[in-house]
């Protein structure tokens, strides 16, 4: 039986292959976007788990939008704007997929930054959207290019990760946030503000969310994978009520609802008086890992690479300096790194197929320990040397 | 922002409305397909929950196909054919949705019985499939009509619930099983054998699955909602490996994977030495409820209705006898029943929009207690009397 045509559009899942290889025992992986399991808040789970074990009603079918006490908590905690509502999804990935399924017709235009989160690329390709990218710099997305795109009239959605972007780690400055909100309002483009790393800031002050300047024109995706636990697969998506209701309709047909016992578990965790301390400690631990990684990069690869310091998130974007205009094959480089037992992701997989990219590698620093990170870079040096 | 065009195709979710109304405190609901929460195997959950609470690795990201020990258990327990494989989904509903997304192009033909499970209707409508129905009787689906449909050449998938059909409760006899398998093979139609109620047999002997006669031509959907716990949202879907791999690709883009802690919990439950006893007891309890319902129907409504006895499942299909060829409005009847504090589902919602149906009601007997079921029918009588 032939798979559907749109399955042919999907980007090859190179990252799935590399993640599989990266699980070999002697490989240090800087490839995935995995949190550190040794820092999961297991102690804070004990009491909520105990409660769940005595609550058969949590194991019954539930409402599609989510477990009401968790929805209420999120609405208050995130101070939802009047007229906005939310639902619980199986990770932000499902939130994205629901938006694409509920709002995109084949051929509708979607704008995104390049490079871009791979899971978003896949979702929009599956929806047969037409993808347009704008470049990104330290001042945020290229606003001139973005307005030109919007002005053409076919862009329905702009997908953005303004805080600690995946894969570049960049944060949009305030001016870019205000300008993008204005553009979305002027051209009636729906903004998806994907904010999985927003609460992982290690230095400096948080900036207002882009959607706070255009709440009537945006969805916000908040993941609990990075601050709580990824294996429970829970996220909260909010936006104008008539932008949320169609998502609930699609979710009902796609899986009825996300598991209630885990929604109750998450609520117990978020309400725990110790949760804030967990978050403070987590930020310290990840900051330490980032220091270990950036220190090792300076020490061992200083002349071959350049990178912008990041203030949070999980990723560092390593730009490779070409010598004598000789092109660098980052796919080959990642393969050689894997032969040396360190897994990294070549930058080009974060671009739509066929699009030109500057040579770069994405390095994750949340999963490996500080000691492993230093060893990983020593191994990476060998891959560079064999180039 | 306008929702996508295919959202307009979706059947109005009458059932969602009635289920909402049915949760009012003084209403006895025979409307949903809810298991009895008071018979959930809570005691058997305690040890697995304890183990999970000590296993941070279960809260990490996992593989898209599922938690490997659970996949291994299912492969052995359900004796997967050589060349077949499986994956864990967020309920059978997601399994269905994944098949539709991975294999259907807009306009592809899907055959199903009428009446039919509403969640399947929604999934195929969302995929913009062209729906064709065949009638069902005690001898199974109308084989002549089915072959005529298949012979036209546009049918890619046949969706079927051969054991304790939702909504009719019917079981296909052996001859129909063999004949449908042959037709699927001859015309290269993919069979979806949806089997959520198969293990809820209260009398008589189980028949071989339809897919056992055409394993190279079928997906099997096995839900854990009815035999274990619906709130954990887990199911196992199996089929030829190249019919499963595309589902994994779509699932990766749609939610990465189903939650690992609950997959470990389910495995602990299924492996418990007491699980089989739980299942035996559950069948007795549901059989008792069915007796209460069918007894009350005979007693209070004998001349106004007719129904086939069922040997398992959760539903009874009540056909209404028209008097003097006066048409019966089942929607109105269900509304009046709700005014009398009993919720039932009018039969016509189980047909594609606009399709003719004979007057009937679907009654669930797994959720309400035997005492409640008798009271519910007394209330239903009043709705009939006001007709």
């Amino acid at each position: 039986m032939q798979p559907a045509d749109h399955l042919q559009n999907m980007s090859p899942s190179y990252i799935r292959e590399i993640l599989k290889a990266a699980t070999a025992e002697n490989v240090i992986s800087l490839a995935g976007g995995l949190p550190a399991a040794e820092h999961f808040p297991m102690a804070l789970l004990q009491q909520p788990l105990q409660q769940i074990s005595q609550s058969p009603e949590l194991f019954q079918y539930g409402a599609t939008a989510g477990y009401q006490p968790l929805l209420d908590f999120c609405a208050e905690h995130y101070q939802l704007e009047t007229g906005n509502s939310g639902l619980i999804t199986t990770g932000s990935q499902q939130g994205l997929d629901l938006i694409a399924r509920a709002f995109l017709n084949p051929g509708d235009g979607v704008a995104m930054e390049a490079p871009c989160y791979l899971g978003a690329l896949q979702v929009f390709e599956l929806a047969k959207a037409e993808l347009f990218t704008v470049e990104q710099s330290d001042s945020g997305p290229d606003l001139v290019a973005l307005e030109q795109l919007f002005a053409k009239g076919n862009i329905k959605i702009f997908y953005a990760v303004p805080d600690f972007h995946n894969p570049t780690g960049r944060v949009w400055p305030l001016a870019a946030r205000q300008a993008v909100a204005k553009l979305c309002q002027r051209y009636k483009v729906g903004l998806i503000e994907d904010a999985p790393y927003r609460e992982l800031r290690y230095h400096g002050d948080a900036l207002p969310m882009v959607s706070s300047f255009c709440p009537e024109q945006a969805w916000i995706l908040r993941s609990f994978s990075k601050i709580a636990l990824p294996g429970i697969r829970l996220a909260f998506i909010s936006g104008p009520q008539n932008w949320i209701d169609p998502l609930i309709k699609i979710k009902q047909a796609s899986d009825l609802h996300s598991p209630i016992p885990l929604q109750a578990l998450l609520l117990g965790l978020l309400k725990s008086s110790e949760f804030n301390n967990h978050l403070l400690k987590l930020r310290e631990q990840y900051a330490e890992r980032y220091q270990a990684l950036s220190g090792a990069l300076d020490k061992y690869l200083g002349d071959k690479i350049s990178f912008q310091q990041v203030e949070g998130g999980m990723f560092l974007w390593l730009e490779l300096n070409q010598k004598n205009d000789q092109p660098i094959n980052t796919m080959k480089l990642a393969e050689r790194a894997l032969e040396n037992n360190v897994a990294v992701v070549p930058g080009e997989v974060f671009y739509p197929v066929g699009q030109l990219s500057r040579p770069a590698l994405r390095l994750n620093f949340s999963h490996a320990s500080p000691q492993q990170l230093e060893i990983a870079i020593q191994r990476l040096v060998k891959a560079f040397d064999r180039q």
Side-chain angles (χ1 to χ4, degrees), chain A:
Chain A
M1 178 167 296
Q2 276 301 323
D5 299 337
H6 50 257
L7 218 65
Q8 330 292 331
N9 296 339
M10 276 180 86
S11 292
S13 191
Y14 174 85
I15 207 164
R16 187 162 56 180
E17 295 309 309
I18 210 169
L19 288 179
K20 216 180 276 173
T23 56
E25 213 179 313
N26 45 358
V27 170
I28 300 177
S29 178
L30 280 54
L34 271 60
E38 62 271 34
H39 297 320
F40 285 163
M42 297 305 290
L44 309 188
L45 290 185
Q46 304 305 316
Q47 211 218 327
L49 276 172
Q50 178 60 29
Q51 278 192 342
I52 287 164
S53 74
Q54 306 304 319
S55 310
E57 70 280 7
L58 296 175
F59 291 89
Q60 185 56 282
Y61 284 112
T64 301
Y67 179 53
Q68 196 59 49
L70 178 60
L71 286 169
D72 294 343
F73 176 91
C74 289
E76 189 177 319
H77 187 72
Y78 298 119
Q79 299 184 284
L80 245 55
E81 308 268 343
T82 320
N84 280 20
S85 68
L87 80 149
I88 301 294
T89 56
T90 300
S92 280
Q93 185 71 34
Q94 187 182 45
L96 257 180
D97 190 43
L98 292 177
I99 294 173
R101 294 181 77 184
F103 285 92
L104 293 177
N105 289 311
D108 278 347
V110 171
M112 52 207 319
E113 296 173 285
C116 179
Y117 168 53
L118 203 64
L121 274 178
Q122 287 183 334
V123 159
F124 296 127
E125 283 166 352
L126 259 186
K128 298 189 193 177
E130 197 175 349
L131 300 184
F132 299 89
T133 59
V134 293
E135 296 220 12
Q136 187 200 54
S137 73
D138 290 336
S139 359
D142 181 333
L143 294 171
V144 175
L146 197 63
E147 178 154 18
Q148 279 172 353
L149 258 184
F150 284 9
K152 277 199 225 152
N154 181 37
I155 303 293
K156 197 164 183 183
I157 284 174
F158 177 38
Y159 171 79
V161 187
D163 286 291
F164 315 117
H165 182 267
N166 175 6
T168 67
R170 282 202 180 95
V171 174
W172 292 6
L174 183 62
R177 290 168 191 252
Q178 291 166 322
V180 167
K182 268 217 182 94
L183 288 177
C184 286
Q185 287 174 322
R186 184 174 313 147
Y187 294 99
K188 298 281 175 216
V189 169
L191 171 72
I192 302 178
E193 182 161 22
D194 193 2
Y197 314 108
R198 181 169 166 86
E199 296 190 62
L200 296 180
R201 174 176 278 281
Y202 315 132
H203 307 288
D205 295 321
L207 293 166
M209 295 190 83
V210 181
S211 49
S212 70
F213 301 111
C214 58
E216 79 297 348
Q217 198 63 28
W219 293 276
I220 306 174
L221 301 177
R222 300 182 200 262
S223 169
F224 299 106
S225 294
K226 316 304 196 250
I227 57 169
L229 302 154
I232 60 172
R233 312 294 310 112
L234 288 173
F236 176 67
I237 168 169
S238 61
Q241 182 161 356
N242 57 354
W243 291 26
I244 293 294
D245 288 345
L247 310 186
I248 297 174
K249 262 178 129 172
I250 302 274
K251 183 161 171 67
Q252 195 196 23
S254 72
D255 64 10
L256 301 188
H257 62 80
S258 295
I260 307 298
L262 294 179
Q263 297 186 50
L265 180 69
L266 175 65
L267 179 62
L269 188 62
L270 296 174
K271 283 170 77 173
S272 156
S273 59
E274 283 301 303
F275 186 73
N276 201 42
N277 277 340
H278 152 72
L279 210 48
L280 291 173
K281 228 162 61 188
L282 190 65
R283 289 185 191 121
E284 275 174 30
Q285 284 148 341
Y286 284 168
E288 191 190 333
R289 291 178 179 207
Y290 171 66
Q291 287 307 328
L293 176 64
S294 62
L297 286 170
D298 284 338
K299 184 164 152 194
Y300 298 109
L301 280 169
D303 59 329
K304 299 191 177 68
I305 51 109
S306 59
F307 64 94
Q308 290 284 332
Q309 297 284 338
V310 298
E311 295 191 321
M314 293 186 156
F315 302 109
L316 183 152
W317 186 246
L318 202 64
E319 293 189 300
L320 310 180
N321 301 334
Q322 289 181 222
K323 277 193 181 153
N324 316 321
D325 283 331
Q326 272 204 301
I328 299 176
N329 185 330
T330 53
M331 284 285 192
K332 278 260 159 62
L333 184 59
E335 273 171 35
R336 267 199 304 276
L338 201 54
E339 287 163 16
N340 285 320
N341 290 327
V342 56
V344 298
V345 185
E348 67 184 85
V349 307
F350 299 103
Y351 291 80
V353 176
Q355 193 167 314
L356 273 181
S357 60
R358 276 167 297 189
L361 300 175
R362 188 191 74 175
L363 307 185
N364 166 271
F365 57 82
S366 59
H367 187 57
S369 71
Q371 295 72 28
Q372 287 175 316
L373 285 164
E374 169 136 11
I375 299 170
I377 299 309
Q378 290 168 347
R379 292 180 183 173
L380 191 60
V381 171
K382 291 185 194 153
F384 270 84
D385 290 344
R386 283 179 48 205
Q387 177 133 305

